Amino acid sequence: MKNREHLLIIGAGLCGSLLALRMAQHGYKITLVEKRPDLRKEKLSAGRSINLAFSDRAFKAFKMAGLEKKVSKILIPMHGRMLHSIDGETFLSKYSGRDDEYINSVSRTELNTLLLNEIEKFESVNLIFNHSCQHLDLENSTGVFFDEKNQQKINLTADFIFGTDGAGSVVRQSMQSQKDFLFSHSQEFLTHGYKELNFPPNKENDYAIEKNALHIWPRGENMLIALPNPDQSFTVTLFLAYEGGEYNFNNLTNPEIVEEYFKKVYPDAYEILPNLKTEFFENPTSPLGTVKCSPWYYNKSILMGDAAHAIVPFYGQGMNASFEDVFVFDECLHDQDFDLDKTFVSFSKKRKEDADAIANLALDNFYEMKSHTAQDIFLRKRKIELALEKKFPEAYASKYSLVTFKEEIPYKEAMEKGRAQDKAILSLLKHEKLNDNQSLEEQLKLINKTTQQLREGDFLLEN
Amino acid sequence: MKNREHLLIIGAGLCGSLLALRMAQHGYKITLVEKRPDLRKEKLSAGRSINLAFSDRAFKAFKMAGLEKKVSKILIPMHGRMLHSIDGETFLSKYSGRDDEYINSVSRTELNTLLLNEIEKFESVNLIFNHSCQHLDLENSTGVFFDEKNQQKINLTADFIFGTDGAGSVVRQSMQSQKDFLFSHSQEFLTHGYKELNFPPNKENDYAIEKNALHIWPRGENMLIALPNPDQSFTVTLFLAYEGGEYNFNNLTNPEIVEEYFKKVYPDAYEILPNLKTEFFENPTSPLGTVKCSPWYYNKSILMGDAAHAIVPFYGQGMNASFEDVFVFDECLHDQDFDLDKTFVSFSKKRKEDADAIANLALDNFYEMKSHTAQDIFLRKRKIELALEKKFPEAYASKYSLVTFKEEIPYKEAMEKGRAQDKAILSLLKHEKLNDNQSLEEQLKLINKTTQQLREGDFLLEN
């Protein structure tokens, strides 16, 4: 094997850890630096999601790294959205008409632990915790770090640097504050924030509600969701506006009003939230933001994962997109015959449009999850799509399936096709051009034709 | 008249000056602070456009302030785009099929001078030059300024503060750097920059090319444009990529290659650019960026004009949008019975979506101007649209007309209708569903029907 360069990877979260592992497998010498303590030894700090949705794009990247069997053991399948109406009724809306297509709940700590344990098998990786990056000198490829234990600054230099330091990336901030090149960047917050709560196991020490589903309580402007944990509990997330409406984060200021809100809006969930009043005030309220930037690289440094493209959580694709970054980077690395300078260019060019697409799709889904899921026309659309996926497993995939289960289709293509398909079906339903007298085959033809027309219009205008 | 509050307006450019004038007309006490010297006494500094496109939205705002006659005197009508092909042929593409619809070239200095002269008629306005804002204390409604002449800092406090300090707004930066509220912001650069040049008057001391047109030399990835000045010269702007292609700003590094580029790509323009080689290296290369942010106000301070929404110049709407801000603010002020707190809320709510729309439209037009203008399908579309506007002046307006001449239609509506119409016509042309055998009336019906279908699809998905 060729003598590979020395890489500095800043951030040993999910993306940085998989990247370090993959690059170590290629024979690179790696310094992997993390600001937090080793999560295998200390409890996860508050304010980061405890569990996450793991689906096919993430799986593809783990398979590349030879970890498909190991990761499978820590996944909890979720076959669909379990919708909870205000009167306590539930309805399972499957994610796909194909039975082998589902998503998984995974513990962030378990997943990161798996990756760190693999990384430590490589002598060529130097894993450093408790060192926070203060600034990156882009010209000299040197990161300035603060060693929390010894309370001193140290400099680390490498041939190439990867910023995988998450949504609040210090590496990105270093790009933002320089004047040597034009750096486009955006940070957009939603009017909603989120807060995590917990459904503990029930008296029989089992899951309090159906284990293998992603639970949603859609309430128009606000919603609650719950994902299963391996310890029979659920991590519950409340999405609520900061202001406006009858209840919001700014007016839920005492235990009584919090209790009133949950009893009224989420009565069945309230019954299984014994620690609501404590958790609500102990756990932070966090903002929901989208970060985009361009270019992702300058000189010998590059951004990857959330540092390059943080997205809102409504498609369950944030982690998947970060892992897919590593997969796509690896493809580019092979294409460029392990020339990292060229790989930075080709990876950024190839991946940026897909990162933008999943950011936009995640915003689409915010609106869909909190309100559309309960609307009649969307339920009718969903029913048709599930029937099409079941009857024509090769020929039809909904937008959700394109994004989540078709890991060979780039996000941008999934977005463009999926959006046009959604528009086509809604428009056909509106004009009563789809009905039960037609065969599913006729319906598919009509949907495909209308979708194609819509996409042509977009294409003509953009090219 | 009621005893009005004291307003601090930061930035006496076009937007701040019209705002100050209008608020003075309402009886407010105003401190208007500008960082530059008085442009009536000193020459305009380099790096800002010398002339601008003034159209119906700007005119509406000037009419509100009683300045319609005065401003008309300094406008130079431009009836269409004069397209210059590479072999020197010219073709006038009118802006509208209605003869009374055209845009105007105006000198930034003359326009700002007109406004400052009007402002000075009010004793209630204190106009201060050479004071640059360093920071805004949002909690205490106090601006910190540096007095350039006396080289000292001074604080100015007011009941309400308006940041009209342009694309690089210090007021916006103060909002960005605080931690008291979630401030979304984005700054996006194009891959192209621009540089201003000059066509001097010809030997007869007349305009070297047709006076009453906006001249364009579309060349695929790059383009040159020219707008007439009152002194028989034209201000010429080169839009060129920073890198890539045969010629770009990064490789046009000596007079010989600049000459070669212009001779080859803009031969007819080269003939009337006697000072090209000097101007090219003396004048700055400036970036083209879009700035968006939200919210525009916090506590007693608000952003307006470019400070809130800087856009690229390709729709000729930057100044128009800023003046229309003042018009819309004035409408909201009346609706809220001169309660400025309430006006800040309602203005921002009403105007933000329109500011986003014109930003996006301006980006659309970048692609249209530099390449589509020369494509056959776009020429056919334009021909049909001009014929429809001529035959059905009440019933049809192209996207360009909706944005530029229909000042009663908000930008967002103009964008949504205009884009759907463009898509509809291109799609119909592509499928040969529009042809000369149809009457114009039939064509109009078909276009309207297809446009309506496209808009319904968008509406269903977004609501």
Side-chain angles (χ1 to χ4, degrees), chain A residues 309-435:
Chain A
H309 49 77
I311 67 178
V312 294
F314 304 106
Y315 233 107
Q317 284 291 319
M319 175 184 69
N320 288 283
S322 291
F323 286 146
E324 196 179 52
D325 277 5
V326 181
F327 182 89
V328 174
F329 189 84
D330 198 70
E331 281 186 327
C332 294
L333 190 64
H334 283 95
D335 289 347
Q336 301 298 337
D337 204 17
F338 291 83
D339 179 324
L340 279 167
D341 287 304
K342 287 186 187 165
T343 304
F344 279 14
V345 179
S346 70
F347 168 73
S348 302
K349 190 175 160 59
K350 183 168 182 182
R351 188 65 178 157
K352 168 68 178 161
E353 61 181 26
D354 292 318
D356 285 347
I358 190 59
N360 297 338
L361 282 163
L363 289 167
D364 285 2
N365 235 30
F366 173 53
Y367 302 99
E368 182 167 338
M369 282 176 84
K370 71 189 173 66
S371 57
H372 292 172
T373 38
Q375 282 177 32
D376 182 55
I377 193 167
F378 281 84
L379 292 173
R380 283 164 63 208
K381 167 175 159 294
R382 193 77 199 123
K383 199 177 149 197
I384 291 171
E385 291 196 278
L386 287 171
L388 290 175
E389 290 192 326
K390 203 175 175 71
K391 178 106 184 228
F392 309 104
E394 302 298 319
Y396 191 79
S398 70
K399 183 172 86 171
Y400 188 86
S401 290
L402 290 167
V403 172
T404 309
F405 305 122
K406 301 292 171 195
E407 73 278 8
E408 70 282 7
I409 297 176
Y411 283 129
K412 181 166 183 259
E413 167 66 14
M415 176 181 76
E416 290 177 354
K417 183 167 185 187
R419 282 183 173 175
Q421 232 166 230
D422 280 355
K423 263 189 219 179
I425 300 175
L426 289 170
S427 178
L428 290 167
L429 282 172
K430 171 95 190 286
H431 293 279
E432 289 165 22
K433 289 187 184 163
L434 286 178
N435 58 60

Side-chain angles (χ1 to χ4, degrees), chain B residues 58 131 143 176 234 266 310 316 341 427 440-441 446-447 451 453:
Chain B
H131 280 59
Q176 211 168 311
F234 284 83
Y266 305 111
D341 288 303
S427 177
L440 269 176
E441 196 157 1
L446 198 52
I447 291 168
T451 301
Q453 284 170 348

Side-chain angles (χ1 to χ4, degrees), chain A residues 191-242:
Chain A
T191 50
H192 286 57
Y194 74 94
K195 187 184 285 288
E196 290 190 336
L197 304 166
N198 187 270
F199 293 157
N202 64 15
K203 284 178 197 162
E204 290 78 38
N205 206 28
D206 200 359
Y207 290 93
I209 49 175
E210 164 61 39
K211 173 188 178 185
N212 294 115
L214 189 153
H215 296 265
I216 309 185
W217 289 255
R219 296 294 182 267
E221 270 312 295
N222 311 305
M223 71 173 168
L224 203 67
I225 69 166
L227 276 76
N229 292 319
D231 67 356
Q232 283 76 41
S233 72
F234 284 83
T235 299
V236 181
T237 310
L238 169 66
F239 296 96
L240 180 65
Y242 283 102

Side-chain angles (χ1 to χ4, degrees), chain A residues 182-189 242 287 372 378 422-423 426-427 430-431 454 456-458 460-461 463, chain B residues 182-189 242 287 372 378 422-423 426-427 430-431 454 456-458 460-461 463:
Chain A
L182 294 176
F183 186 68
S184 297
H185 55 92
S186 71
Q187 178 167 321
E188 308 269 348
F189 294 102
Y242 283 102
H372 292 172
F378 281 84
D422 280 355
K423 263 189 219 179
L426 289 170
S427 178
K430 171 95 190 286
H431 293 279
L454 288 168
E456 273 175 14
D458 288 328
L460 283 165
L461 208 62
N463 289 276
Chain B
L182 294 176
F183 186 67
S184 298
H185 54 90
S186 72
Q187 178 167 321
E188 308 268 349
F189 294 101
Y242 283 102
H372 292 173
F378 282 84
D422 280 356
K423 264 189 220 180
L426 289 170
S427 177
K430 171 94 190 289
H431 293 279
L454 288 168
E456 272 176 14
D458 288 329
L460 282 166
L461 207 61
N463 289 276

Side-chain angles (χ1 to χ4, degrees), chain B residues 223-416:
Chain B
M223 71 172 167
L224 202 68
I225 68 166
L227 276 76
N229 293 318
D231 66 358
Q232 283 76 41
S233 72
F234 284 83
T235 299
V236 181
T237 310
L238 169 67
F239 295 96
L240 180 66
Y242 283 102
E243 54 186 26
E246 192 178 354
Y247 300 95
N248 58 53
F249 274 124
N250 288 347
N251 70 22
L252 291 181
T253 50
N254 65 61
E256 290 68 39
I257 189 167
V258 168
E259 193 166 29
E260 175 191 306
Y261 171 59
F262 274 81
K263 271 187 173 168
K264 195 162 149 186
V265 179
Y266 305 111
D268 55 342
Y270 174 77
E271 296 299 325
I272 49 176
L273 279 166
N275 306 313
L276 171 64
K277 287 183 279 183
T278 329
E279 285 171 359
F280 194 91
F281 294 99
E282 279 181 359
N283 294 350
T285 304
S286 305
L288 293 159
T290 301
V291 173
K292 295 179 183 171
C293 64
S294 174
W296 287 351
Y297 67 92
Y298 178 72
N299 199 8
K300 304 287 182 181
S301 299
I302 192 166
L303 299 167
M304 214 179 276
D306 281 2
H309 49 76
I311 67 178
V312 295
F314 304 106
Y315 232 109
Q317 284 291 319
M319 174 183 70
N320 287 283
S322 291
F323 285 146
E324 196 180 52
D325 276 4
V326 180
F327 182 89
V328 173
F329 188 86
D330 198 72
E331 281 186 328
C332 294
L333 189 64
H334 283 95
D335 289 347
Q336 302 297 339
D337 204 18
F338 291 82
D339 179 321
L340 278 169
D341 288 303
K342 287 185 187 165
T343 304
F344 279 13
V345 179
S346 69
F347 168 72
S348 302
K349 191 175 159 57
K350 184 169 181 180
R351 189 63 177 158
K352 168 68 179 162
E353 60 181 25
D354 292 319
D356 285 347
I358 191 58
N360 297 338
L361 282 163
L363 288 167
D364 285 2
N365 235 29
F366 173 53
Y367 301 100
E368 183 167 339
M369 283 176 85
K370 71 189 172 67
S371 57
H372 292 173
T373 38
Q375 283 178 31
D376 182 55
I377 193 166
F378 282 84
L379 292 173
R380 283 163 63 208
K381 167 174 160 293
R382 193 77 199 123
K383 198 178 150 197
I384 290 172
E385 290 196 279
L386 286 171
L388 290 175
E389 290 192 327
K390 203 174 174 73
K391 178 105 184 230
F392 308 105
E394 302 298 320
Y396 191 80
S398 69
K399 184 172 83 170
Y400 188 87
S401 289
L402 289 167
V403 172
T404 309
F405 306 121
K406 301 293 172 194
E407 73 278 7
E408 70 282 6
I409 297 177
Y411 283 129
K412 180 165 183 260
E413 167 67 13
M415 176 180 76
E416 289 176 355

Side-chain angles (χ1 to χ4, degrees), chain A residues 111-279:
Chain A
L111 194 58
N112 217 335
T113 296
L114 166 59
L115 291 169
L116 293 174
N117 289 344
E118 292 296 318
I119 288 168
E120 284 192 331
K121 295 177 183 169
F122 288 84
E123 280 186 11
S124 55
V125 182
N126 180 17
L127 184 48
I128 304 173
F129 291 100
N130 300 302
H131 279 60
S132 59
C133 184
Q134 308 290 300
H135 172 72
L136 188 65
D137 176 346
L138 293 159
E139 292 301 331
N140 299 304
S141 306
T142 300
V144 181
F145 294 85
F146 186 71
D147 174 350
E148 306 284 348
K149 291 233 164 115
N150 299 310
Q151 294 285 305
Q152 63 187 24
K153 281 194 179 181
I154 66 160
N155 288 355
L156 295 172
T157 299
D159 297 319
F160 292 92
I161 298 180
F162 295 78
T164 50
D165 51 342
S169 174
V170 171
V171 176
R172 190 181 68 243
Q173 284 170 33
S174 296
M175 291 189 178
Q176 210 168 311
S177 58
Q178 55 65 44
K179 305 274 173 202
D180 297 324
F181 63 102
L182 294 176
F183 186 68
S184 297
H185 55 92
S186 71
Q187 178 167 321
E188 308 269 348
F189 294 102
L190 290 185
T191 50
H192 286 57
Y194 74 94
K195 187 184 285 288
E196 290 190 336
L197 304 166
N198 187 270
F199 293 157
N202 64 15
K203 284 178 197 162
E204 290 78 38
N205 206 28
D206 200 359
Y207 290 93
I209 49 175
E210 164 61 39
K211 173 188 178 185
N212 294 115
L214 189 153
H215 296 265
I216 309 185
W217 289 255
R219 296 294 182 267
E221 270 312 295
N222 311 305
M223 71 173 168
L224 203 67
I225 69 166
L227 276 76
N229 292 319
D231 67 356
Q232 283 76 41
S233 72
F234 284 83
T235 299
V236 181
T237 310
L238 169 66
F239 296 96
L240 180 65
Y242 283 102
E243 54 185 29
E246 192 178 354
Y247 300 96
N248 57 53
F249 275 123
N250 288 348
N251 70 22
L252 290 181
T253 50
N254 65 60
E256 291 68 38
I257 190 166
V258 168
E259 191 166 31
E260 175 191 307
Y261 171 58
F262 274 81
K263 271 187 175 171
K264 195 162 148 187
V265 179
Y266 306 110
D268 55 344
Y270 173 78
E271 296 299 325
I272 48 175
L273 279 167
N275 306 314
L276 171 65
K277 287 183 281 184
T278 329
E279 285 171 358

